[in-house]
Amino acid sequence: MSNAATFDTRTDTAIPVESPLAYSYRHSGAPRGSGYRLKLRERAMQGHLILRGGAIVLDEAVRDVLGISLPGQPQALVHDASGERSIQWLSPDEWLVIVPGGEEFPLETKLRERLGDAHFAISDVSGGQTVLELSGEAARELLMKTVIYDVHPSNFPVGKGVTTVFAKATTILRRPSEERWELVVRRSFADYCYRWLLDAGSEYGVNVEQ
């Protein structure tokens, strides 16, 4: 195992932990209703790890520990059988792993043990970003007027993810299924992106799931 200093960022505390959108719900509201064409929800408090290193070494370790292989193609996104754990290709030696909240530190520890003295880096960025999920018949239409990347199905099939610009904010845009899109955004941009989505989606009707 490497001698890097590691610590669990999700320790027990008496201080209430809030999602990045908790402030937004209180101050911008969370519209609900019928007749909506766009559904929005935050997949909050998940575990986010950035892996960097050689693909062959990391792939063996990730398969042993997580049961998923690293994506074999650029801009690819893969999930486990449950759909709760994913790995996305970010750059030639960089991958984003998202797992249910609380799993990130044990996963990091097991990966470090498995990788030993290999050349790699693991960064826990769970507290710095969140995932906004879009679904509904108007989801792609909203993205077409908000992101600079071509989201037509012929160019953005299921299982693809790219780093792009969403309403002047950097985001990772992913398409995990036919019906769903995901925006991985920085925590500091979460309220801005949420309010933008409410405004840009108002013509379709937005239903926010908390």
Side-chain angles (χ1 to χ4, degrees):
M1 182 174 177
S2 70
N3 58 2
T6 61
F7 61 94
D8 189 351
T9 60
R10 203 183 295 266
T11 54
D12 292 333
T13 176
I15 301 174
V17 178
E18 292 188 329
S19 85
L21 287 190
Y23 172 90
S24 307
Y25 296 145
R26 290 195 297 267
H27 293 269
S28 300
R32 298 292 296 265
S34 58
Y36 61 87
R37 299 176 57 209
L38 185 68
K39 182 178 178 180
L40 170 64
R41 72 162 175 157
E42 181 187 18
R43 298 178 65 86
M45 314 305 288
Q46 293 183 299
H48 297 232
L49 298 177
I50 297 291
L51 308 184
R52 302 203 69 161
I56 295 177
V57 173
L58 283 179
D59 183 56
E60 293 176 352
V62 169
R63 278 191 287 110
D64 287 349
V65 174
L66 197 57
I68 316 174
S69 294
L70 293 181
Q73 298 293 327
Q75 300 180 332
L77 169 68
V78 296
H79 288 80
D80 69 352
S82 71
E84 295 297 317
R85 298 160 188 82
S86 66
I87 305 176
Q88 180 182 346
W89 185 99
L90 296 181
S91 72
D93 69 343
E94 184 180 15
W95 294 266
L96 169 63
V97 178
I98 298 182
V99 297
E103 291 187 9
E104 64 275 15
F105 184 65
L107 174 60
E108 178 183 356
T109 301
K110 291 176 182 177
L111 284 173
R112 290 186 180 279
E113 292 174 349
R114 175 62 176 75
L115 288 162
D117 58 359
H119 295 284
F120 68 93
I122 304 176
S123 301
D124 184 347
V125 296
S126 306
Q129 54 192 40
T130 191
V131 180
L132 307 181
E133 180 185 277
L134 297 175
S135 59
E137 61 184 65
R140 186 170 69 86
E141 190 173 341
L142 181 144
L143 291 172
M144 287 171 61
K145 65 177 184 178
T146 310
V147 301
I148 63 173
Y149 198 85
D150 182 4
V151 294
H152 190 276
S154 63
N155 186 64
F156 212 121
V158 173
K160 184 173 183 176
V162 300
T163 300
T164 185
V165 175
F166 174 90
K168 300 182 180 181
T170 302
T171 186
I172 298 173
L173 177 63
R174 301 144 52 102
R175 192 179 183 194
S177 71
E178 289 285 352
E179 302 80 20
R180 294 186 295 118
W181 298 79
E182 292 177 342
L183 296 166
V184 183
V185 300
R186 295 180 185 177
R187 187 183 187 97
S188 56
F189 290 157
D191 177 63
Y192 164 75
C193 291
Y194 177 74
R195 288 186 288 117
W196 184 288
L197 285 167
L198 292 185
D199 182 67
S202 60
E203 64 178 293
Y204 314 115
V206 182
N207 191 80
V208 176
E209 179 180 311
Q210 292 180 259

